């Protein structure tokens, strides 16, 4: 299957600082990537859809100014958590689709464990 | 709107016994259905999918799932579970017109030796 690489896998930052998480499709081009947030022992919540060359589409209740998404190329999307606070501590996961057809599965990155202290 | 229900938070089985993880779904049109597995502090790994065709779908690591349209179910099965199958399993659904996946709450599978 296709490989999606997410970096870093773990990050600890101080409250008030910003953290950038990268999501790369290693062997394919992805015009659309998705960012999820997962709380302990809970399901994945879609935060936003990242579109190459255009603005991201955020889900209801997700602060676009706090969670900045940039999809500058067909293989890279970044999520920046700005002015992070302890309540932003979570597991963040990205995914990408191999081809822009409806019947393909999404491939997921390894996830990033963010801890804000 | 689309949604997925995984009625069991936990499933416990002995190694070598059959494993079933339940999933029911709701979509407005024809569903695309997926199963993913997640190990601790890792992303999701794709197991199998149903798009169209045979109701019985075979996937990775010996897993299979049966699509039942009348019961709107897509249960995951494995004839003989391994200890290494212990993980968190997610069912997901998407309808034909939307790229967004809706996930179930997840089912923790524990296979004891």
């Amino acid at each position: 299957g296709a490989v999606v690489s997410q970096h870093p896998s773990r990050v600890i930052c101080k409250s008030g600082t910003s953290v950038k998480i990268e999501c790369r499709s290693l062997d394919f081009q992805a015009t659309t990537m998705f960012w999820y947030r997962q709380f302990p022992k809970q399901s994945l919540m879609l935060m936003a859809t990242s579109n190459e060359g255009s603005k991201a589409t955020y889900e209801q209740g997700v602060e676009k100014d706090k969670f900045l998404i940039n999809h500058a190329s067909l293989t890279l999307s970044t999520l920046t958590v700005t002015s992070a606070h302890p309540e932003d501590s979570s597991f963040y996961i990205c995914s990408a689709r191999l081809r822009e057809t409806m019947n393909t599965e999404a491939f997921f990155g390894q996830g990033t464990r963010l801890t804000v202290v | 709107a689309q949604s997925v229900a995984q009625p069991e938070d936990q499933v416990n089985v002995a190694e070598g016994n059959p494993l079933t993880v339940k999933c029911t779904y709701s979509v407005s049109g024809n569903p695309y259905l997926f199963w993913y597995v997640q190990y601790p502090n890792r992303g999701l790994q794709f197991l199998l999918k149903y798009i169209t065709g045979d109701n019985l779908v075979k996937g990775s690591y010996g897993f299979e799932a049966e699509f039942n349209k009348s019961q709107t179910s897509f249960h995951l099965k494995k004839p003989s579970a391994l200890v290494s199958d212990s993980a968190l399993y997610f069912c997901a659904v998407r309808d034909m017109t939307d790229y967004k996946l809706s996930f179930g709450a997840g089912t923790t599978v524990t296979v004891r030796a």
Side-chain angles (χ1 to χ4, degrees):
Chain A
V3 178
V4 175
S5 178
Q6 194 172 335
H7 179 79
S9 58
R10 289 180 177 272
V11 58
I12 301 173
C13 71
K14 292 185 178 180
S15 188
T17 62
S18 296
V19 173
K20 180 184 287 188
I21 302 170
E22 293 186 347
C23 180
R24 296 181 183 272
S25 54
L26 294 187
D27 49 1
F28 66 101
Q29 294 183 333
T31 56
T32 304
M33 292 185 178
F34 302 88
W35 286 96
Y36 296 85
R37 183 172 179 176
Q38 185 181 27
F39 292 100
K41 304 201 176 198
Q42 294 190 26
S43 188
L44 282 71
M45 292 178 49
L46 180 65
M47 298 174 65
T49 302
S50 170
N51 302 297
E52 188 269 336
S54 65
K55 291 183 179 180
T57 304
Y58 290 82
E59 295 300 299
Q60 191 173 6
V62 177
E63 298 175 62
K64 59 182 67 177
D65 293 331
K66 177 155 193 68
F67 298 100
L68 299 179
I69 291 173
N70 184 280
H71 195 154
S73 77
L74 287 171
T75 59
L76 173 64
S77 175
T78 60
L79 168 68
T80 301
V81 183
T82 63
S83 187
H85 291 284
E87 57 266 29
D88 298 324
S89 298
S90 191
F91 194 58
Y92 294 87
I93 308 176
C94 69
S95 77
R97 177 163 285 103
L98 182 60
R99 291 181 294 275
E100 298 306 318
T101 57
M102 294 304 297
N103 63 351
T104 56
E105 61 273 21
F107 294 94
F108 287 79
Q110 307 94 315
T112 297
R113 172 73 59 194
L114 171 63
T115 303
V116 184
V117 297
Chain B
Q2 55 197 36
S3 65
V4 174
Q6 292 180 242
E8 301 161 315
D9 292 336
Q10 286 213 323
V11 170
N12 299 307
V13 298
E15 189 173 33
N17 282 2
L19 169 63
T20 298
V21 186
K22 296 180 180 177
C23 170
T24 59
Y25 66 89
S26 174
V27 294
S28 56
N30 291 326
Y32 292 154
L33 293 155
F34 306 84
W35 275 101
Y36 289 88
V37 61
Q38 183 181 35
Y39 295 95
N41 291 309
R42 302 299 301 272
L44 275 65
Q45 295 179 33
F46 170 74
L47 283 178
L48 51 79
K49 65 182 177 183
Y50 172 82
I51 303 300
T52 187
D54 289 341
N55 290 341
L56 184 64
V57 178
K58 294 189 182 297
S60 306
Y61 312 118
F63 284 95
E64 58 187 31
E66 186 165 11
F67 172 64
N68 187 315
K69 189 173 183 177
S70 63
Q71 297 185 3
T72 62
S73 67
F74 189 57
H75 301 330
L76 180 70
K77 299 181 181 183
K78 186 169 183 178
S80 178
L82 300 172
V83 172
S84 57
D85 294 327
S86 299
L88 181 58
Y89 291 79
F90 289 103
C91 181
V93 70
R94 191 176 79 217
D95 72 23
M96 296 177 68
T97 63
D98 196 344
Y99 283 115
K100 296 178 186 177
L101 278 172
S102 293
F103 286 89
T107 299
T108 299
V109 170
T110 301
V111 182
R112 60 186 184 277

